[in-house]
Amino acid sequence: ALGVPRVDTHEYARENGLAIRAYCTLARVTKDDSATKEATRAADRILTTHADSRGGVTHDSPSAEVSTKLLHLADNAAFAWGLLGLWEVTHVEARLAQATTIADFVLANLEDPKGGGFFAHTADDAAVGIFAERRKPFEDNVLMLRVLGRIAKQSPDKAPAYSRSIARGLRAIATPEAIKDRGRFVGDYLLMHDETLGVRTPSK
């Protein structure tokens, strides 16, 4: 009676990254080639419309995001995770390279050089007050550490730097308070420990 609800026609890097990963999981389990094709189309689309000159991806397409130049951890971690999933099912080395480019961007622009871990977005010089405080979201940090762990195991040249970032990031986010706040929802956190085992180095 009220008509069709509003449909959000924006294309977000985070949601596309998670969808790509889901399609890749479907393809791996069912051997459904159409799922791989869907994931490939989505990845190519986001790389065409969202790639930033700094090496990361924007939240929305640049044409829809003229008011901000902030890049977000959630988008880059999730899209890199999707690219790694695509690499795992296609074995196309370019996908691993694309995920690595995003990971390098995150380390250069979002990592806390003092306390470890990753900030939610790039620095905003115009932010004031509470908005100037850069948070380190638990879930996005966990996903980024999973990305680094996967790449470190496949790229010996990246392993030393990524391993240090993993160890420092783990110490930054794995506080008793943060874990308690998650309650029973610690699946991704536990998977991260398993996936980074063997590539973590003692933090300094």
Side-chain angles (χ1 to χ4, degrees):
L2 298 177
V4 177
R6 176 183 176 274
V7 176
D8 188 347
T9 58
H10 293 267
E11 300 170 357
Y12 302 114
R14 175 183 179 273
E15 282 68 21
N16 272 271
L18 296 177
I20 290 167
R21 187 75 190 195
Y23 270 112
C24 291
T25 300
L26 177 64
R28 187 170 61 250
V29 173
T30 65
K31 311 303 181 184
D32 182 0
D33 187 55
S34 66
T36 304
K37 291 180 179 178
E38 287 295 333
T40 299
R41 289 180 62 231
D44 289 342
R45 168 73 177 182
I46 295 301
L47 287 169
T48 298
T49 57
H50 291 58
D52 184 83
S53 60
R54 289 166 283 183
V57 291
T58 58
H59 177 59
D60 200 354
S61 61
S63 61
E65 201 174 65
V66 294
S67 63
T68 178
K69 294 184 178 180
L70 296 183
L71 269 63
H72 300 269
L73 175 63
D75 294 304
N76 285 276
F79 190 65
W81 186 240
L83 289 171
L84 286 175
L86 196 52
W87 168 70
E88 290 166 3
V89 297
T90 65
H91 307 293
V92 174
E93 291 299 316
R95 299 305 182 184
L96 177 60
Q98 290 160 354
T100 301
T101 296
I102 293 175
D104 288 344
F105 159 79
V106 170
L107 264 62
N109 295 274
L110 296 176
E111 186 174 20
D112 180 356
K114 295 182 179 179
F118 305 100
F119 295 117
H121 54 73
T122 50
D124 184 359
D125 296 333
V128 296
I130 191 173
F131 297 105
E133 298 178 12
R134 300 176 74 189
R135 300 179 302 105
K136 298 177 187 177
F138 184 87
E139 291 182 358
D140 298 332
N141 268 263
V142 166
L143 186 55
M144 193 63 227
L145 293 177
R146 296 179 72 183
V147 168
L148 295 178
R150 293 289 181 99
I151 297 176
K153 290 179 179 179
Q154 301 297 327
S155 306
D157 60 320
K158 296 293 184 180
Y162 284 19
S163 297
R164 286 191 295 271
S165 293
I166 290 169
R168 296 177 73 246
L170 185 58
R171 289 190 61 183
I173 67 168
T175 63
E177 296 79 10
I179 302 301
K180 183 178 180 180
D181 185 60
R182 298 298 301 161
R184 297 181 179 181
F185 298 95
V186 292
D188 286 348
Y189 175 72
L190 296 176
L191 286 170
M192 179 271 294
H193 273 284
D194 183 59
E195 291 165 353
T196 60
L197 190 64
V199 297
R200 296 194 298 265
T201 59
S203 58
K204 298 180 180 180

